[in-house]
């Protein structure tokens, strides 16, 4: 159960697009289409933004999209807004009812 | 409205035990898997344990396997985490999360506000 690998930080300007990567192995990200992305603002509980690689829960703007290729999943945020500044975590199913999170990525909107 | 309210956290000495509870409301509890996820101060999220809708499937992170036990009481709409032999590295904010599905998936679509567990002598 090794943590998935995410960049520690990314940044973008309002209106731009950013992509956050999440690299796992053939035992987690690469083997299952069960990857989720969470947004967490300081002092707040995480919020589900993407599940099953690319599905958006109701209420999540379509500016947020997810994809996967091989052992790497990605979250893309287009039309960046100030309120998107937060920590983002990926999470993957890892077999036998276990999950694994990424280390988290701090998104700064400059 | 979905509500998840954790309780049972506190300050405990190393080696001691603690049981966390999560009271759920606003959804059909026995149709959803549930999870415990923790976050140490200033650190990232760590999945601790998950349990399917009927308790038929459950598993743990390697860091807690053999020490923690997850359970649920569907009649009481409640989730529990029995934590034994606690270590200082178990110090964290413990979140209860509702799964989108009945089986364990990474889709936690509702979270509580967490209960703080501090392990220290």
């Amino acid at each position: 159960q090794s943590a998935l690998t995410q960049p520690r930080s990314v940044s973008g300007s309002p209106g731009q697009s950013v992509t956050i990567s999440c690299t796992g192995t053939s035992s987690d990200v690469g083997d299952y289409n069960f990857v989720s992305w969470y947004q967490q603002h300081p002092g707040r509980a995480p919020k589900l933004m993407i599940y099953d690689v690319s599905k958006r829960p109701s209420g999540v703007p379509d500016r947020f999209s997810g994809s996967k290729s091989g052992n790497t999943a990605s979250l893309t945020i287009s039309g960046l807004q100030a309120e998107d500044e937060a920590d983002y975590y990926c999470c993957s199913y890892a077999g036998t009812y276990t999950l694994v999170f990424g280390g988290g990525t701090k998104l700064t909107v400059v | 409205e979905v509500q998840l309210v954790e309780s049972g956290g506190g300050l405990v000495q190393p080696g001691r035990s603690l049981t966390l509870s999560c009271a759920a409301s606003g959804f059909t509890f026995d149709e959803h898997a549930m999870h415990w996820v923790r976050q140490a101060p200033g650190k990232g999220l760590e999945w601790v344990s998950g349990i399917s809708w009927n308790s038929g499937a459950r598993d743990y992170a390697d860091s807690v396997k053999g020490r923690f036990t997850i359970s649920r009481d569907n009649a009481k709409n409640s989730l529990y985490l029995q934590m034994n032999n606690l270590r200082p590295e178990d110090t964290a904010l413990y979140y209860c999360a509702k799964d989108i599905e009945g089986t364990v998936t990474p889709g936690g679509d509702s979270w509580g506000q967490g209960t703080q567990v501090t392990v220290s002598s």
Side-chain angles (χ1 to χ4, degrees):
Chain A
Q1 294 176 354
S2 298
L4 308 175
T5 300
Q6 298 180 232
R8 297 201 71 165
S9 65
V10 298
S11 63
S13 300
Q16 287 187 333
S17 294
V18 295
T19 296
I20 300 172
S21 62
C22 169
T23 301
T25 71
S26 57
S27 297
D28 39 62
V29 175
D31 203 22
Y32 305 97
N33 287 322
F34 292 121
V35 177
S36 299
W37 289 89
Y38 294 91
Q39 176 191 67
Q40 187 180 35
H41 288 108
R44 303 293 298 275
K47 176 185 177 183
L48 182 67
M49 305 303 284
I50 295 288
Y51 68 102
D52 291 356
V53 175
S54 60
K55 296 177 181 178
R56 273 179 289 105
S58 63
V60 173
D62 59 6
R63 302 186 294 104
F64 291 83
S65 62
S67 62
K68 191 188 86 166
S69 177
N71 295 340
T72 298
S74 298
L75 172 71
T76 298
I77 309 170
S78 58
L80 266 180
Q81 299 182 2
E83 59 262 35
D84 299 334
E85 186 164 294
D87 293 326
Y88 290 85
Y89 296 90
C90 61
C91 183
S92 174
Y93 185 72
T96 58
Y97 311 108
T98 64
L99 307 180
V100 60
F101 276 96
T105 298
K106 181 176 180 59
L107 168 63
T108 302
V109 180
V110 298
Chain B
E1 178 193 4
V2 173
Q3 280 202 313
L4 298 169
V5 180
E6 303 94 337
S7 61
L11 173 63
V12 62
Q13 293 179 327
R16 303 298 289 262
S17 299
L18 207 58
T19 298
L20 306 183
S21 299
C22 172
S25 61
F27 66 101
T28 306
F29 184 71
D30 62 8
E31 290 183 355
H32 294 271
M34 298 293 294
H35 301 270
W36 288 102
V37 176
R38 68 185 181 184
Q39 188 167 33
K43 303 296 184 182
L45 301 174
E46 180 188 14
W47 177 80
V48 173
S49 182
I51 186 168
S52 64
W53 66 279
N54 63 351
S55 303
R58 67 188 85 187
D59 213 329
Y60 305 89
D62 288 344
S63 58
V64 307
K65 195 169 289 187
R67 300 187 299 123
F68 289 12
T69 302
I70 190 172
S71 63
R72 62 189 296 162
D73 185 337
N74 287 346
K76 295 182 177 179
N77 288 352
S78 294
L79 176 73
Y80 306 100
L81 186 68
Q82 171 72 40
M83 305 185 294
N84 296 330
N85 190 20
L86 282 160
R87 304 168 180 169
E89 54 265 36
D90 295 319
T91 294
L93 184 65
Y94 283 73
Y95 291 105
C96 161
K98 164 188 168 285
D99 201 310
I100 275 187
E101 304 288 354
T103 188
V104 170
T105 78
D109 64 349
S110 294
W111 295 58
Q113 289 306 303
T115 186
Q116 178 67 40
V117 173
T118 302
V119 184
S120 173
S121 53

